[in-house]
Each structure stands twice: as structure tokens, then as C-alpha cells.
Amino acid sequence: MNKNNNNWEPVIGLEVHAQIISNSKLFSGASTDFGSEPNTQVSLVDAAMPGMLPVINKFCVEQAIKTGLSLNAQINQRSIFDRKNYFYPDLPQGYQISQYTQPIVGKGSIEIDLKNGNSKTIAITRLHLEQDAGKSIHDIDPKTTYIDLNRSGIALMEIVSEPDIRSAEEAQEYVKKLRSILRYIQTCDGNMEEGSLRCDVNISVRKKNEDLGTRCEIKNVNSIKAIGQAIEYEFSRQKEIIESGGKVGQETRLFDEKKSETRSMRTKEEAHDYRYFPDPDLPPLEISLDLIEEIKKTLPELPDIKKKELIEGYNLSSYESSILVSDKKNVDFFEEI
């Protein structure tokens, strides 16, 4: 960022949608295999046929608990599934089963390493479980949109950070670190190119140490590089609007990777627009302390612990260790040789 930006800073929070590694969906037994023929992995539950009732996938719940433990987060023994109501052509029910006021995982944190040698802790607000929507396909026919419901009902963990991030670099390092942890514990494969890890970027701009500005949300950014580009563009766009005497409007935007710019998608909804209420078909989710302890025992060594071992055991620098531990295959290979 150039000298003209010295008095300004972006305030950034990220919502990362991580697809859970599971053979079947969150509320049905349909397969989750990637790349299958359209609409070949759709149960009657996924298609929202009348009278069909969701049944929770216990393995997906365990994967969410494992992820929460790895994020130094509180595991809530009681959580509630809510209906989040909105209309999309690829959302058969007309609502998404998600969690809002009482998620399965509460506050946690991730520590990131920056290029200047400093570390920073990014707080996590919550992790909640939700089902994915289907996919609208616009590029087969110029006049027709096609719907593929293979993704409908797939289990997602939405991991929401606090607005603690202050630069594109910090945002990129946060997503890299989160992806590394998910891969270590094998709860998400982190393949952004296949859509199994997607990021919504919430960003506002303010003069340093002043009140928060009006935020915009950039939806479904699907690469580490694009996250950085989207933040840099949106930071400059919002700063220029304010400096010219205008006001930033709260809205949802999309990032065009070919043009390296964001563009308006729709005005931003608030929580009340979704008319959340507890799903009447799903009872509260009760988790025992015994189950939490059992899952805790299965956790592998996480990147931060492995990094400390490399520094102390092999006399590597913090930077070198961070690069190695970012990919479990690399650090395993290093230790083997």
C-alpha cells in the first residue's frame, strides 16, 4: 500500500466455508463424490420432496468438534439448528438448515506468521454447521440456467473470524494457516479449485483508530491470490469514495478475477432478513463430555506444535519451519530424511 494510504486501514473479517470430509451429506445418505454427473447424487431429502425429514450425520458432527478443538475453541455441548430463509433457484427447500445463535463451536483463535517475522493472533467468533446449496450453471446455454443439486445438502463448516485482520497479507496467511490445520486433522481437503474451501471477505475502511466504517461483503472468493487482490481493490475503492465525499453503501459484491476488481451483486442483507428460527424437524444437538474427550485423543500434532519441534530439534528458523509445517506431507518427508 502506498504512502497515501498511511492514515487509512482496512478492517477485515473472514467467513470461511469448509466442506467436511465425509462419505455422505449432512442430513441424508447421498454421496459427496466430486465430479459426478449432474443430479446423480441427490436424495429425496436433498431435493426437498414433501414429507422428507433430515437426519443428522454423526460423523459430520464429530468432524466439526475435531476442528473446533484444533482451533483452541470452546465446544458447546448444546447447539441448535435453525432455518435461514432465502430464495435461490438452486435451494430446493427455500431455506438453508444452518446454525445462528447457538452454534456447535464457540470462540477460538489462530496464530499466523507474517513475512516481517512477527506473529499475530486472529480471534475466531464461532464455527457452525450448515448444508450447502446446489449449483446454478449459466454457461451452457445463453438463455437458460441449469441446476445441479449434487452439492445440495453437503456438510459445511462456516468458520467466522473476528474483524482482527488489517491487511491482504494477514488475510492470506490466516486462510493458509486455517487450511493447513484442516488438512492436518483431515476434516476438509482444502481444495479451493473444487469449491471445498471458499471464503467470504467482509471489509470496511477507516482512518486509523477511528470508528468502524460501513462494510461490504465479497462473496465466494476461491483462491489465496484472489483473496489478496479482492482486498487490495476493495480497500482502494472504498477509500476513494470516502475521500471524494461519498458514502460507502453496505452491499454484497463479487470479485472478477479476470479484471481484478469487485462489482456490486446486491444490497447486503442483515440477520433479520433471513427470518431465522429453530428448525422444527431437528431437536437440539446434545454432545457429551466423554465424546469430546474421545475426539481430543485422536488429534494429531498440529502445525504450531510441529513448528516448535522443528525449531528446537533441527535448529531451523521460524520462517523455515512455518513453510515446512504449512503442508503435512512436506514436514513428514523432511523428518523422514
Side-chain angles (χ1 to χ4, degrees):
M1 295 181 182
N2 60 43
K3 292 180 181 179
N4 294 330
N5 293 336
N6 285 347
N7 293 327
W8 295 90
E9 69 176 0
V11 178
I12 302 160
L14 300 181
E15 300 170 11
V16 175
H17 297 80
Q19 179 179 326
I20 293 175
I21 293 175
S22 170
N23 292 330
S24 55
K25 297 182 181 181
L26 185 56
F27 299 115
S28 82
S31 173
T32 59
D33 288 343
F34 178 78
S36 300
E37 287 295 310
N39 297 311
T40 57
Q41 298 177 173
V42 187
S43 76
L44 296 176
V45 173
D46 307 324
M49 291 299 176
M52 296 297 104
L53 297 175
V55 177
I56 189 70
N57 183 333
K58 182 184 176 185
F59 181 72
C60 291
V61 172
E62 292 172 348
Q63 291 281 67
I65 295 170
K66 183 186 284 190
T67 303
L69 292 170
S70 302
L71 300 177
N72 309 302
Q74 169 192 348
I75 308 301
N76 296 323
Q77 288 185 259
R78 189 178 193 272
S79 59
I80 301 290
F81 284 101
D82 299 288
R83 290 188 181 182
K84 181 181 181 182
N85 296 275
Y86 58 96
F87 173 78
Y88 278 156
D90 51 23
L91 190 69
Q93 294 156 312
Y95 60 84
Q96 178 188 36
I97 301 176
S98 182
Q99 294 184 311
Y100 181 51
T101 57
Q102 298 183 60
I104 187 169
V105 175
K107 294 185 180 298
S109 63
I110 288 180
E111 186 174 275
I112 60 172
D113 297 311
L114 303 172
K115 290 176 183 175
N116 62 10
N118 293 335
S119 297
K120 180 174 180 177
T121 298
I122 308 296
I124 290 170
T125 309
R126 68 179 186 275
L127 176 157
H128 63 258
L129 281 167
E130 65 183 21
Q131 57 179 179
D132 205 352
K135 183 178 181 181
S136 296
I137 303 166
H138 309 289
D139 57 2
I140 295 177
D141 186 283
K143 296 181 179 179
T144 307
T145 292
Y146 289 79
I147 304 294
D148 179 10
L149 294 181
N150 279 352
R151 289 193 65 88
S152 178
I154 278 182
L156 300 177
M157 298 177 288
E158 181 170 340
I159 302 162
V160 182
S161 84
E162 292 286 329
D164 292 344
I165 298 167
R166 293 292 179 270
S167 69
E169 182 199 354
E170 289 182 12
Q172 290 172 311
E173 292 305 318
Y174 170 86
V175 175
K176 286 179 188 176
K177 183 65 171 289
L178 176 57
R179 183 176 62 179
S180 174
I181 291 170
L182 296 175
R183 285 174 168 170
Y184 265 68
I185 62 175
Q186 297 184 311
T187 58
C188 173
D189 62 27
N191 290 333
M192 300 185 83
E193 65 276 9
E194 293 182 2
S196 56
L197 193 74
R198 313 192 295 271
C199 185
D200 295 343
V201 179
N202 290 281
I203 175 171
S204 64
V205 171
R206 68 177 179 183
K207 289 282 184 72
K208 290 183 179 177
N209 301 317
E210 290 189 357
D211 293 338
L212 294 175
T214 301
R215 68 185 173 92
C216 292
E217 181 181 32
I218 309 167
K219 293 290 288 185
N220 291 329
V221 188
N222 60 6
S223 74
I224 302 293
K225 179 181 178 183
I227 289 169
Q229 291 174 329
I231 289 171
E232 293 285 3
Y233 178 87
E234 190 62 17
F235 172 71
S236 296
R237 185 189 75 86
Q238 292 187 26
K239 180 178 72 70
E240 288 170 10
I241 289 173
I242 299 167
E243 286 183 332
S244 63
K247 289 187 177 181
V248 175
Q250 185 168 321
E251 62 180 345
T252 299
R253 300 179 68 85
L254 292 175
F255 180 65
D256 186 328
E257 288 196 56
K258 291 181 180 177
K259 296 181 179 179
S260 294
E261 64 183 29
T262 67
R263 64 174 187 269
S264 183
M265 180 182 176
R266 61 177 182 266
T267 56
K268 179 74 178 108
E269 297 95 342
E270 300 286 358
H272 63 259
D273 294 319
Y274 293 118
R275 305 186 311 284
Y276 281 98
F277 64 87
D279 192 302
D281 295 330
L282 288 160
L285 186 61
E286 304 279 356
I287 299 168
S288 69
L289 284 174
D290 288 343
L291 178 60
I292 295 171
E293 287 302 315
E294 281 179 31
I295 293 170
K296 190 179 290 186
K297 292 174 185 175
T298 69
L299 290 177
E301 277 190 320
L302 295 172
D304 287 345
I305 297 172
K306 185 64 74 174
K307 176 185 170 184
K308 186 177 180 183
E309 289 179 358
L310 292 177
I311 293 171
E312 295 175 354
Y314 299 97
N315 201 29
L316 297 178
S317 70
S318 177
Y319 177 72
E320 291 167 337
S321 301
S322 295
I323 292 174
L324 276 176
V325 302
S326 65
D327 189 322
K328 192 172 186 301
K329 291 179 182 177
N330 287 346
V331 75
D332 288 345
F333 177 72
F334 176 82
E335 289 188 317
E336 186 177 332
I337 62 172

